[in-house]
């Protein structure tokens, strides 16, 4: 059973970074998350069977047990009081990582790791993830040279993401592993055995492979994390044994310096990528957008201070407190489902209880690394804390965050060899029961995955048949068929989701029911009071209903929210012309030409006709 558990962990750590599937609704994270669900189920079932075989509860107590339990409790309470419990349980659809089920899986994996693996097995799992990362890097470098440039919407040659789906995620994953590679070559350089020199050479080549891939991501957060984590690692290494480690320090870092100047990542470039996350696409500088999103996240926390708005409900809570200045950035109409800062994300979603328990978990993890004197894991773990400050965790990095402390614990623990006992009938019954439960859970996970596959194929009815409580499936079917009953079902399942209200507005427009469309927009504005697009559509709807005065008032409110909203200013100007207020209309048209779009022909023609 111990060997089987090791094999399952090795499989998990090797394949999670690599797995993707182009036919599901989300290519990368969804399939990685499903793999974690499957492997967690298999590992826990095997662990329980081992307990049955050895007739004892096998559990290794560690320093992280109580902090981890407190953290789990905070996530459970946040889910109970969530704006959307379904989302809090499974994670935001398209993100998936961060829901309660994922957190339970990571926690169980930590306990299973420390309770079932020995030092040799723990080291081998590290080799597995490093081997996987090598494949990730090779593919990432090939991406840079155009191997799959025609497959992706993004300009993948400019910023590679390999099998992780986003440049910053790839950078965070690799930077956390680099100190482990540094550590593997210690005491090798000064010993003249050919075998050990080859080992040193392998570590040197691997670290350069990882660093080149990091440069190709052009991830500023990744490079910052690399600099700080490397500083931590090399400072400790030189203090421990300067005479033996200074050569390695110079060789590794001099090579990185040369590579940096050769490949020149130029992380300040802004390259339009229409399908990338908002903070990584062209337009407004990402740092400016982050400040606005963080400001909104703090407002969410102030309104849900203790337990937050619910795990992974940022897409529902943020619109309520979205700063007005968000309307002026290039990604003003994107959906923000993360705070793009892991700590503010916890603050907004799980409140002070969740944030404090998360910090306690981090603190005790750091204590484990210091007590066990595993400074490579310490430096790698610290890099995750830095990249999470500028972004958020994904499945591969979250596995690192939970399993690095587990590896540290195992490498400092002695295990007793267990003797096998003869299998009795009662044990056979319990094993049979565990296996039946395991297969049932696996069938539910498979159903969950297959429903998404149907959803991606636009077989929304089939997806609903498998997952009837998934609101996004009902909303998709409603939009497809202009079905108001399905739209209402989606809203009933997820009443705080502003996207569903926007979809319902579109359905009423197609059905030419303008009064109902107006009412939906009025209701939607209650959930997104600073969304200029909602006001713009409401103004147009009032105009189509013949209420010109109300339309003018709403459109004036729209341009107050978003001064550079060309369509709103033009609509406002046309309505003013109909009201014979040509002077004010001219001001609006002149504003468009002066500050928004000097080349707009419609505006020029309209202004000329007024003159």
């Amino acid at each position: 059973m111990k060997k089987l558990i090791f094999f399952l962990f090795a499989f998990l750590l090797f394949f999670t970074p690599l797995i993707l599937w182009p036919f599901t609704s989300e290519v990368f994270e969804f399939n990685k998350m499903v793999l974690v669900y499957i492997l967690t189920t298999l590992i826990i079932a095997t662990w329980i069977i081992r307990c049955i075989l050895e007739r004892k509860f096998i559990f290794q107590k560690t320093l992280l047990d109580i902090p981890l339990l407190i953290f789990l409790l905070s996530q459970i309470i946040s889910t109970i009081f969530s704006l959307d419990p379904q989302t809090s349980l499974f994670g935001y659809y398209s993100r998936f990582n961060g829901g309660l089920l994922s957190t339970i899986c990571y926690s169980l994996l930590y306990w299973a790791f420390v309770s079932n693996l020995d030092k040799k097995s723990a080291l081998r799992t590290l080799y597995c993830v490093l081997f996987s990362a090598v494949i990730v890097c090779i593919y990432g470098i090939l991406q840079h040279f155009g191997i799959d440039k025609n497959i992706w919407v993004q300009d993948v040659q400019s910023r590679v993401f390999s099998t992780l789906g986003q440049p910053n995620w790839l950078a965070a994953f690799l930077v956390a592993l680099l100190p482990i590679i540094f550590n593997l070559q210690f005491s090798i350089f000064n010993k003249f055995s050919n075998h050990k020199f080859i080992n040193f050479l392998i570590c040197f080549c691997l670290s350069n492979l990882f660093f080149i891939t990091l440069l190709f991501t052009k991830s500023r957060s990744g490079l910052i994390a690399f600099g700080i984590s490397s500083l931590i690692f090399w400072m400790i290494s030189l203090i421990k044994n300067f005479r033996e480690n200074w050569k390695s320090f110079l060789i590794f870092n001099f090579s990185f310096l040369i590579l940096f100047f050769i490949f020149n990542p130029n992380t300040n470039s802004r390259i339009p990528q229409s399908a990338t996350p908002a903070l990584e696409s062209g337009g407004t500088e990402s740092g400016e957008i982050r400040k606005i999103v963080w400001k909104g996240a703090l407002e969410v926390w102030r309104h849900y201070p203790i337990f937050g708005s619910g795990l992974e409900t940022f897409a529902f809570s943020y619109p309520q407190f979205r700063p007005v200045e968000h309307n002026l950035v290039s990604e003003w109409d994107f959906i923000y489902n993360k705070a793009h800062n892991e700590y503010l994300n916890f603050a907004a979603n799980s409140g002070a209880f969740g944030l404090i328990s998360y910090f306690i978990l981090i603190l005790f993890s750091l204590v484990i690394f210091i007590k066990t004197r595993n400074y490579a894991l310490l430096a790698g773990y610290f890099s995750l804390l830095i990249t999470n400050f500028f972004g958020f965790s994904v499945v591969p990095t979250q596995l690192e965050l939970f399993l690095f402390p587990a590896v540290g614990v195992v490498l400092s623990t002695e295990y007793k060899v267990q003797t096998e006992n003869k299998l009795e009938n009662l044990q056979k019954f319990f094993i049979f029961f565990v296996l039946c439960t395991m297969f049932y859970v696996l069938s539910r996970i498979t159903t969950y995955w297959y429903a998404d596959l149907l959803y991606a194929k636009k077989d929304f009815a089939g997806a609903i048949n498998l997952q009837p409580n998934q609101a996004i499936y009902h909303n998709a079917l409603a939009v497809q068929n202009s079905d108001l009953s399905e739209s209402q079902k989606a809203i009933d399942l997820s009443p705080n989701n502003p996207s569903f209200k926007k979809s319902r507005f579109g359905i009423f427009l197609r059905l030419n029911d303008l009064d109902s469309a107006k009412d939906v927009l009025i209701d939607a504005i209650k959930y997104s009071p600073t969304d200029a697009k909602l006001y713009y559509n409401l103004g147009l709807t009032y105009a189509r209903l013949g209420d010109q005065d109300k339309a003018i008032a709403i459109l004036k409110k729209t341009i107050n929210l978003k001064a550079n909203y060309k369509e709103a200013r033009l609509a406002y100007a046309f309505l003013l012309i109909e009201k014979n207020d040509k002077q004010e209309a001219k001001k609006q048209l002149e504003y468009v030409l002066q500050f928004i779009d000097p080349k707009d022909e419609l505006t020029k023609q309209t202004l000329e006709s007024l003159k």
Side-chain angles (χ1 to χ4, degrees):
M1 291 297 103
K2 287 181 68 176
K3 287 181 179 179
L4 179 56
I5 291 172
F6 159 71
F7 173 79
L8 292 171
F9 267 111
F11 191 94
L12 172 72
L13 293 172
F14 179 79
F15 282 104
T16 299
L18 298 175
I19 194 169
L20 57 91
W21 187 249
F23 305 109
T24 47
S25 67
E26 199 281 333
V27 176
F28 302 95
E29 282 288 282
F30 177 69
N31 297 288
K32 296 180 194 302
M33 193 74 260
V34 168
L35 182 66
V36 169
Y37 289 155
I38 291 171
L39 268 297
T40 301
T41 303
L42 294 173
I43 288 169
I44 299 306
T46 309
W47 182 14
I48 295 172
I49 291 172
R50 184 189 167 206
C51 292
I52 294 170
L53 291 174
E54 298 187 14
R55 301 177 186 176
K56 61 184 291 187
F57 180 56
I58 301 168
F59 184 84
Q60 179 68 36
K61 293 181 181 179
T62 71
L63 191 63
L64 214 58
D65 295 339
I66 293 177
L68 191 50
L69 286 171
I70 294 172
F71 176 67
L72 270 176
L73 178 63
S74 75
Q75 304 303 283
I76 292 169
I77 293 175
S78 177
T79 300
I80 292 171
F81 294 103
S82 173
L83 291 175
D84 195 309
Q86 174 88 355
T87 297
S88 293
L89 186 62
F90 290 97
Y92 184 82
Y93 215 92
S94 79
R95 291 296 187 196
F96 307 102
N97 178 66
L100 180 61
L101 284 182
S102 70
T103 303
I104 290 173
C105 284
Y106 298 131
S107 302
L108 291 174
L109 288 172
Y110 168 82
W111 281 313
F113 195 100
V114 299
S115 299
N116 293 280
L117 270 62
D118 54 25
K119 291 181 181 180
K120 188 176 181 180
S121 298
L123 285 173
R124 285 178 173 175
T125 59
L126 285 182
Y127 298 148
C128 287
V129 73
L130 287 174
F131 186 28
S132 175
V134 168
I135 299 173
V136 169
C137 288
I138 292 171
Y139 180 39
I141 291 172
L142 292 175
Q143 273 188 334
H144 179 75
F145 293 103
I147 190 175
D148 58 355
K149 64 180 181 180
N150 297 322
I151 295 176
W152 308 105
V153 175
Q154 299 93 326
D155 182 4
V156 71
Q157 282 187 274
S158 177
R159 296 191 67 194
V160 305
F161 51 70
S162 189
T163 58
L164 273 80
Q166 208 273 348
N168 287 338
W169 304 347
L170 173 58
F173 172 68
L174 296 178
V175 171
L177 297 174
L178 269 164
I180 297 172
I181 297 176
F182 299 159
N183 197 56
L184 290 177
Q185 51 77 38
F186 268 159
S187 302
I188 294 176
F189 183 80
N190 293 322
K191 297 181 181 178
F192 300 102
S193 160
N194 289 333
H195 176 68
K196 291 191 174 181
F197 180 75
I198 290 172
N199 287 343
F200 173 83
L201 194 60
I202 290 171
C203 293
F204 177 78
C205 292
L206 286 180
S207 63
N208 281 276
L209 177 71
F210 279 41
F211 188 69
I212 291 171
T213 311
L214 172 62
L215 293 178
F216 287 164
T217 67
K218 295 186 179 179
S219 170
R220 284 174 288 186
S221 60
L223 285 170
I224 292 169
F226 170 76
I228 295 175
S229 64
S230 296
L231 182 65
I232 292 170
F233 178 83
W234 290 111
M235 279 183 62
I236 295 172
S237 302
L238 293 174
I239 290 171
K240 284 175 64 179
N241 194 336
F242 181 83
R243 178 182 295 180
E244 201 168 300
N245 297 331
W246 71 270
K247 291 181 182 178
S248 297
F249 166 74
L250 289 178
I251 291 172
F252 275 75
N253 288 283
F254 186 66
S255 70
F256 295 151
L257 194 62
I258 292 173
L259 290 172
F260 184 86
F261 284 111
I262 290 174
F263 294 107
N264 186 15
N266 188 19
T267 56
N268 289 320
S269 62
R270 303 293 298 162
I271 295 158
Q273 301 180 35
S274 58
T276 59
L279 297 183
E280 303 308 326
S281 58
T284 308
E285 204 278 325
S286 64
E288 292 302 314
I289 302 176
R290 276 186 172 86
K291 291 176 186 176
I292 296 171
V293 177
W294 294 352
K295 179 181 176 181
L298 288 171
E299 283 300 313
V300 174
W301 186 17
R302 289 192 186 101
H303 284 80
Y304 301 96
I306 308 301
F307 302 123
S309 62
L311 300 187
E312 294 303 290
T313 59
F314 193 74
F316 312 148
S317 60
Y318 178 68
Q320 299 177 36
F321 309 103
R322 178 177 174 268
V324 174
E325 55 264 36
H326 199 148
N327 287 313
L328 301 178
V329 303
S330 54
E331 291 84 12
W332 67 280
D333 57 348
F334 281 45
I335 295 174
Y336 283 78
N337 45 50
K338 294 279 190 178
H340 292 268
N341 177 303
E342 189 80 340
Y343 312 105
L344 288 178
N345 214 59
F346 272 108
N349 291 339
S350 52
F353 186 23
L355 181 62
I356 292 170
S357 65
Y358 186 60
F359 281 142
I360 291 172
L361 185 67
I362 290 171
L363 178 63
F364 275 80
S365 297
L366 295 174
V367 170
I368 286 174
F369 299 131
I370 294 169
K371 284 186 67 175
T372 59
R373 299 184 178 181
N374 199 315
Y375 302 119
L377 291 174
L378 171 66
Y381 189 89
F382 207 86
S383 77
L384 292 171
L385 304 183
I386 297 167
T387 51
N388 279 347
F389 181 84
F390 296 101
F392 50 88
S393 59
V394 290
V395 177
T397 59
Q398 198 76 329
L399 278 174
E400 291 176 329
L401 194 79
F402 276 80
L403 293 184
F404 275 16
V407 173
V409 168
V410 172
L411 293 180
S412 63
T413 306
E414 294 293 337
Y415 290 90
K416 296 179 181 178
V417 177
Q418 301 292 334
T419 57
E420 294 184 2
N421 299 304
K422 186 178 178 181
L423 199 62
E424 296 180 354
N425 288 334
L426 186 60
Q427 290 173 293
K428 293 178 182 178
F429 170 76
F430 283 129
I431 290 173
F432 177 75
F433 177 77
V434 170
L435 290 174
C436 289
T437 305
M438 180 190 76
F439 283 117
Y440 173 76
V441 173
L442 291 176
S443 71
R444 299 304 303 161
I445 296 170
T446 304
T447 300
Y448 174 66
W449 181 85
Y450 187 64
D452 180 86
L453 190 68
L454 295 177
Y455 170 64
K457 291 179 178 179
K458 301 189 183 305
D459 180 5
F460 304 131
I464 290 169
N465 187 49
L466 294 175
Q467 294 276 293
N469 293 323
Q470 190 60 260
I472 195 171
Y473 297 167
H474 290 280
N475 184 67
L477 183 61
V479 172
Q480 184 185 63
N481 299 333
S482 297
D483 188 334
L484 289 171
S485 63
E486 284 294 335
S487 174
Q488 189 59 52
K489 177 68 173 176
I491 292 173
D492 290 342
L493 287 169
S494 185
N496 292 290
N497 191 330
S499 297
F500 294 169
K501 300 179 191 302
K502 294 175 184 178
S503 298
R504 189 169 178 82
F505 162 70
I507 293 171
F508 278 125
L509 277 188
R510 287 196 294 276
L511 297 175
N512 203 30
D513 186 348
L514 295 180
D515 280 313
S516 297
K518 174 200 69 178
D519 293 338
V520 168
L521 285 175
I522 292 172
D523 182 53
I525 287 172
K526 296 177 185 176
Y527 294 86
S528 306
T530 64
D531 189 336
K533 184 170 281 189
L534 290 177
Y535 283 96
Y536 170 64
N537 283 318
L538 181 60
L540 295 185
T541 304
Y542 272 117
R544 291 180 64 185
L545 285 167
D547 192 341
Q548 306 295 78
D549 291 336
K550 195 71 174 176
I552 287 173
I554 294 296
L555 288 170
K556 187 174 182 180
K557 170 75 171 175
T558 304
I559 61 177
N560 286 336
L561 288 171
K562 181 174 171 59
N564 60 353
Y565 203 161
K566 183 176 78 171
E567 293 80 5
R569 282 194 181 270
L570 289 176
Y572 183 43
F574 294 148
L575 288 174
L576 289 171
I577 292 169
E578 289 184 20
K579 295 284 288 185
N580 207 31
D581 189 351
K582 296 183 179 180
Q583 193 64 32
E584 182 61 27
K586 284 172 64 177
K587 288 181 182 179
Q588 298 303 320
L589 296 170
E590 287 169 352
Y591 187 97
V592 171
L593 292 175
Q594 186 175 355
F595 298 107
I596 302 176
D597 188 357
K599 298 180 180 180
D600 188 76
E601 290 298 325
L602 176 61
T603 305
K604 288 179 180 179
Q605 293 170 12
T606 307
L607 187 59
E608 186 64 29
S609 68
L610 288 179
K611 292 178 180 178

